[in-house]
């Protein structure tokens, strides 16, 4: 059974999971993930397995990335706060951990061939042509602080979880009886009549007394409460803004280029190959060394001995490095080789390497014209950063106890702006930053009328705010909202009366009265329909859907029911449920069976996850 589940694990789904794994760990930061001295506190324990604060932070970053990928810049930054995403991230961690534990208990494994295939299919490890690139693979692992062995362990875990999901979901099947039942439901038709009562006429005769207005106003004062609002003036100081104002001295740029011309020479590029031995014995190292000494081809030895699945089939080729793609020990050894030379065994965190320098190239410095724009950008940035530090100190001094920020801005040759009125929850523009809203409603600014302390929005951006207007919270006067209340109360009364009339009509129908005669006496129009299909779009969708939700009538009888919505109440009388004989073409059966099985399998897996959570020992 387990082997069947392994063999049937879906490659595409596994690839997606692994791609997400790469994104998650890239966002989380290498140091936090792989520091051997990590002593972050335990947040929860799941069946005896501790989940650390680091893992929760990593899961929060995953949530942020998924939301940004799906909604782009339309997601408010405060919605992406750690506080908002923490609980959903913890719930996802719980589900993932429980599935991992279940997969391990089931003894699920992943073969080396399967693992190698997944690695080579991950887009993050491929070049622009969609082919696996050993150099990008090594660089990505290096950036994520992975060794090939540790990355394979993480990958194996996620693939086994995918096997578990596939094993549960794919184990469902559909019988001929279930399939025929689905077909019958799909082609079922219904005969029914309906009439719709409208509140429009009722509204004309409904009145609202002064006492009712007053009572509603008193009981629902929060509906008419305008929140406390504040308007501020502010100085927004940023390096980016200052850089745009900087002027460039062309002579200084050229002098800088001449003085640092060596920096504009392309780095030496070294094309490397290696044989990786993760946990070699002295005998194995000696065996490989002896074969190389006797003239064996390096590429053949890599294919035979290397534990690096990403490069062994390409002769150990790792691509090109400019000196920062590989671990320091690796780069040092590579730099000391001549083209075609193979190093002695080199130790890194990944294991033991035999390294071969395949090629080495360098280049002449690029011209001033080619470097000019980049030099100008760097010069502007450097000058702006220096100016930023200088202005930051002056801004702190001048804004303290300042009567107006306009005077401060004038002295510093900066601009002052004014916000729109905003509440404690923030607003748009500068007030969208939670730090700004908090400062604006703080005691220093709101109560004492002083300028705020310098508020850091980013490492290179600060703002100072000062109140210029304040509107306390207040309840709108009765005279201002009486018309709104009157409309609300009339609609409520109309809806209540409409429901009463509709229910009375239903009772008379259930007692055996004729729908047509009742409708005529009430001035209603009855619509009678036969053989209406579930997908009917000619009649109101709400009516058709409600008709198909009603219980099947007893023999020779009818079913009566009704519903209200949008100022209307509809009464329905269902007279027949028709199930026409419908044979599904054989050619269509496989696709329908697969779709139904997938739907039922998904429900089974959701139930299985719920079972794991209900029976787990989770300590928060």
């Amino acid at each position: 059974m387990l082997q069947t589940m392994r063999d049937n694990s879906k490659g595409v789904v596994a690839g997606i999971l692994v791609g997400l794994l790469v994104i998650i760990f890239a966002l989380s930061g290498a140091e936090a993930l792989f520091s051997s001295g990590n002593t972050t506190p335990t947040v929860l324990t799941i069946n005896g397995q501790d989940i650390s604060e680091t893992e929760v932070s990593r899961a929060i970053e995953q949530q942020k990335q998924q939301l940004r990928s799906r909604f782009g810049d339309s997601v408010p930054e405060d919605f992406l706060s750690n506080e908002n995403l923490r609980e959903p991230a913890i719930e996802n961690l719980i589900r993932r951990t429980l599935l991992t534990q279940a997969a391990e208990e089931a003894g699920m494994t992943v073969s080396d061939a399967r693992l190698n295939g997944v690695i080579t299919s991950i887009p993050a490890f491929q070049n622009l042509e969609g082919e696996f690139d050993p150099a990008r693979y090594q660089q990505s692992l290096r950036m994520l602080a992975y060794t090939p062995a540790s990355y394979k362990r993480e990958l194996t875990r996620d693939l086994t979880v995918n096997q578990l999901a596939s094993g549960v979901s794919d184990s469902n099947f559909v019988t001929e009886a279930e399939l025929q039942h689905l077909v019958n439901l799909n082609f079922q038709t219904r005969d029914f009549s309906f009439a719709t009562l409208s509140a429009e006429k009722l509204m004309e005769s409904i009145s609202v007394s002064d006492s009712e207005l007053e009572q509603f106003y008193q009981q629902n004062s929060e509906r008419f409460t305008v929140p406390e609002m504040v308007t501020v003036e502010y100085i927004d100081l940023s390096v980016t803004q200052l850089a745009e104002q900087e002027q460039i001295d062309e002579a200084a740029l050229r002098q800088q280029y001449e003085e640092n011309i060596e920096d504009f020479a392309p780095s030496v590029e070294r094309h490397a190959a290696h044989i990786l031995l993760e946990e070699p014995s002295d005998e194995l190292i000696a065996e490989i060394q002896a074969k190389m000494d006797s003239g064996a081809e390096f590429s053949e030895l890599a294919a035979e001995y290397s534990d690096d699945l990403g490069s062994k089939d390409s002769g150990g080729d790792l691509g090109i490095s400019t000196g920062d793609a590989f671990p320091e020990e690796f780069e040092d050894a590579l730099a000391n080789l001549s083209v075609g030379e193979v190093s002695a065994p080199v130790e890194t965190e990944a294991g033991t390497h035999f390294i071969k320098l395949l090629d080495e190239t360098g280049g002449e410095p690029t011209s001033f014209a080619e470097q000019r724009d980049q030099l100008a950008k760097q010069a502007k940035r450097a000058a702006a950063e220096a100016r930023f530090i200088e202005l930051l100190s002056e801004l702190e001094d001048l804004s303290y106890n300042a009567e107006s920020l306009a005077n401060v801005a004038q002295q510093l040759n900066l601009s002052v702006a004014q916000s729109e009125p905003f509440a404690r929850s923030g607003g748009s523009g500068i007030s969208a930053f939670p730090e700004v809203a908090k400062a604006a409603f703080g005691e220093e600014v709101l109560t004492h009328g002083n300028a705020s302390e310098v508020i850091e929005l980013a490492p290179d951006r600060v703002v100072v705010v000062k109140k210029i207007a304040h509107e306390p919270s207040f309840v709108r006067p009765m005279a201002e909202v009486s018309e709104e209340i009157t409309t609300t109360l009339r609609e409520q009364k109309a809806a209540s009366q409409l429901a009463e009339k509709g229910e009375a009509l239903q009772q008379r129908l259930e007692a055996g009265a004729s729908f047509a005669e009742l409708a005529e006496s009430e001035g209603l129009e009855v619509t009678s329909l036969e053989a209406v299909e579930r997908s009917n779009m000619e009649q109101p969708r709400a009516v058709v859907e409600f008709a198909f939700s009603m219980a099947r009538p007893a023999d020779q009888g009818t079913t009566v029911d009704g519903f209200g919505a949008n100022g209307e109440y509809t009464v329905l009388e269902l007279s027949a449920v028709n199930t026409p004989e419908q044979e599904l073409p054989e050619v269509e059966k496989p696709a329908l069976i697969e779709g139904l099985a997938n739907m039922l399998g998904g429900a089974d897996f959701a139930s299985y996850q719920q079972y794991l959570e209900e029976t787990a020992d989770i300590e928060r």
Side-chain angles (χ1 to χ4, degrees), residues 412-427:
L412 299 179
N413 195 27
L414 298 173
S415 61
V416 65
Q418 179 177 316
S419 74
E420 295 292 328
F422 60 92
R424 289 181 181 270
S425 58

Side-chain angles (χ1 to χ4, degrees), residues 214-233:
E214 180 65 29
Q215 182 181 8
F216 187 91
Y217 179 74
Q218 295 297 334
Q219 293 178 347
N220 298 273
S221 59
E222 70 281 352
R223 290 181 56 173
F224 312 113
T225 299
V226 177
E228 181 181 20
M229 305 288 281
V230 68
T231 304
V232 299
E233 60 177 351

Side-chain angles (χ1 to χ4, degrees), residues 18 22 112 115-127 131-155 274 276 278 306-314 316-320 325-327 350 353:
V18 176
V22 172
D112 288 342
L115 201 59
N116 193 19
V118 170
I119 289 174
T120 57
S121 69
I122 296 174
F125 302 151
Q126 295 175 348
N127 57 26
E131 300 172 342
F132 179 74
D133 187 337
R136 294 191 67 176
Y137 172 65
Q138 288 290 337
Q139 290 170 358
S140 297
L141 295 193
R142 172 70 172 168
M143 181 179 64
L144 300 173
Y146 271 122
T147 65
S150 63
Y151 179 72
K152 285 188 286 185
R153 283 194 297 270
E154 294 288 340
L155 192 53
H274 80 151
L276 171 64
E278 291 182 354
S306 183
D307 291 325
D308 182 1
L309 298 178
S311 68
K312 64 182 300 179
D313 292 335
S314 57
D317 193 331
L318 295 176
I320 294 172
F326 309 121
H353 309 257

Side-chain angles (χ1 to χ4, degrees), residues 24 78 94 151 159 169 192 230 247 257 264 283 316 325 328 332 343 348 365 403 438 478 484 506 511 589:
I24 294 166
D78 57 346
I94 291 174
Y151 179 72
L159 290 177
S169 299
F192 62 90
V230 68
Q247 300 299 316
Y257 171 80
F264 304 114
E283 291 78 9
E328 183 179 353
D332 289 344
S343 72
T348 71
E403 289 295 325
K438 182 179 180 181
M478 172 67 133
E484 179 182 338
Q506 289 173 220
K589 281 187 177 181

